[in-house]
């Protein structure tokens, strides 16, 4: 059976135009750089997440009866809590900035990964559509996984109802989108291309890592983010518009964080 040309290009794209590093010393430095970046950013988060899930599974309480807060109180004093929340936002911004800076150091202009301002309105439109495509099925998957007992109860926010809660949740959503998409897609896939990895192999590595640092949410969180990583990564490999992914991720998280904060306790279907 012959696969149509369009689906074939999506499932098995050809090699990217990124030059492959052939010098052994430069390759070792590139591998070391990738390992260092992942160790100080989302790779370490994946390891902590795996241990967190193991601890939850071994607990006497069923997984579905356990709760994980994505944006939780960090201090009893309100102003100190605000400062710590903003510090976490700054850390995420720094992770994404590190990935972007290292791409520049490697000789890639930011426009080469789709971080330019040539088409803001079109990027915003595409981000909104992608957020709907991923966000709604993602919510359904979470509710099914929780009903099956393979996901913890996720509380997107347990912050007190203060004047700064919604602004901080929006900033947190934007920082998440920036850090994850720049590091996992723009930086990691580009560097793996330079090592000669195929598009499918680099895509799978990025998506598996994305799913892994969401393991603390249970099987549903892993699967949902694995699928998100595959879709986002392939779209970027095809269209090279990283701002679309950052925007879509931000919209998904804003709806989840701010929506939960506003609706929790007022609707019966929201755990």
């Amino acid at each position: 059976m012959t696969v149509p040309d369009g689906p074939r290009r999506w499932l098995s794209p050809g090699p990217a135009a990124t030059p492959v590093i052939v010098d052994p010393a430069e390759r070792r430095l590139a591998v070391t750089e990738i390992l260092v970046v992942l160790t100080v950013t989302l790779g370490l988060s994946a390891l902590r997440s795996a241990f967190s899930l193991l601890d939850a599974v071994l607990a006497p309480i069923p997984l579905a009866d356990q709760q994980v807060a994505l944006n939780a109180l960090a201090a009893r004093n309100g102003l100190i809590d605000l400062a710590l929340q903003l510090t976490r936002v700054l850390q995420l911004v720094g992770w994404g900035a590190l990935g972007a800076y290292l791409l520049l150091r490697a000789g890639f202009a930011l426009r080469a990964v789709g971080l330019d301002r040539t088409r803001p309105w079109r990027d915003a439109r595409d981000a909104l559509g992608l957020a709907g495509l991923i966000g709604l099925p993602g919510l359904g998957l979470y509710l099914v996984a929780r009903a099956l007992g393979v996901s913890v109860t996720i509380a997107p926010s347990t912050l007190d109802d203060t004047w700064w809660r919604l602004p901080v949740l929006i900033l947190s959503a934007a920082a998440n989108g920036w850090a994850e998409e720049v590091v996992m897609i723009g930086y990691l896939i580009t560097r793996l291309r330079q090592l000669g990895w195929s598009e499918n192999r680099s895509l799978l590595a990025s998506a598996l890592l994305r799913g892994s640092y969401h393991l603390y949410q249970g099987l549903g969180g892993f699967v949902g983010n694995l699928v998100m990583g595959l879709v986002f990564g392939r779209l970027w490999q095809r269209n090279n518009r990283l701002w679309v992914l950052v925007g879509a991720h931000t919209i998904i998280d804003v709806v989840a964080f701010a929506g939960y904060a506003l609706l929790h306790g007022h609707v019966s279907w929201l755990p």
Side-chain angles (χ1 to χ4, degrees):
M1 177 179 173
T2 302
V3 180
D5 187 53
R8 183 191 296 115
R9 288 201 302 268
W10 278 93
L11 297 175
S12 185
T18 304
V20 176
I21 300 172
V22 294
D23 180 73
E26 289 188 26
R27 288 180 66 85
R28 286 193 296 271
L29 286 175
V31 170
T32 301
E33 180 191 285
I34 291 170
L35 293 176
V36 169
V37 169
L38 294 181
T39 298
V40 301
T41 61
L42 295 161
L44 190 61
S45 296
L47 187 60
R48 285 198 299 260
S49 188
F51 285 128
S52 177
L53 176 61
L54 179 61
D55 182 60
V57 170
L58 294 176
I61 306 171
L63 200 62
D65 293 337
Q66 300 179 46
Q67 178 173 289
V68 169
L70 304 186
N71 295 277
L73 288 173
R76 288 183 291 272
N77 181 276
L79 291 179
I80 295 177
D81 188 24
L82 171 60
L84 289 172
Q85 300 296 336
L86 293 177
T87 299
R88 177 180 174 274
V89 168
L90 183 60
Q91 180 185 46
L92 291 170
V93 171
W95 287 359
L98 175 63
Y101 170 76
L102 290 173
L103 285 176
L104 287 171
R105 291 281 297 183
F108 295 93
L110 293 185
R111 64 178 178 273
V113 296
L115 286 176
D116 56 72
R117 294 176 292 178
T118 58
R119 36 177 280 186
W121 296 112
R122 185 175 174 185
D123 284 345
R125 181 203 66 190
D126 292 348
L128 187 60
L130 181 58
L133 177 68
I134 294 295
L136 294 176
L139 175 60
L141 177 62
Y142 160 67
L143 294 174
V144 170
R146 186 172 177 273
L148 293 174
V150 295
S151 176
V152 299
T153 298
I154 300 173
S157 172
T158 57
L159 298 177
D160 291 337
D161 186 9
T162 60
W163 63 268
W164 51 261
R165 180 177 63 171
L166 286 181
V168 162
L169 290 175
I170 293 171
L171 287 174
S172 178
N176 279 335
W178 166 256
E180 290 192 43
E181 304 314 325
V182 173
V183 174
M184 286 293 97
I185 301 295
Y187 170 78
L188 182 58
I189 293 181
T190 298
R191 294 301 264 165
L192 291 178
R193 282 171 170 174
Q194 288 189 286
L195 295 176
W197 286 40
S198 69
E199 293 293 88
N200 281 345
R201 187 183 177 195
S202 58
L203 173 66
L204 182 60
S206 172
L208 283 172
L209 183 55
R210 186 191 294 258
S212 296
Y213 59 75
H214 288 91
L215 275 169
Y216 69 94
Q217 299 176 6
L219 183 60
F222 172 80
V223 173
N225 282 278
L226 171 65
V227 173
M228 178 178 174
L230 291 172
V231 173
F232 274 34
R234 182 60 93 221
L235 284 173
W236 179 77
Q237 288 174 331
R238 291 279 293 161
N239 301 326
N240 200 44
R241 296 304 305 170
L242 196 57
W243 276 130
V244 173
L245 307 187
V246 173
H249 193 142
T250 298
I251 293 169
I252 291 170
D253 281 3
V254 166
V255 172
F257 297 170
Y260 183 90
L262 295 173
L263 295 178
H264 182 59
H266 300 286
V267 293
S268 60
W269 53 268
L270 195 63

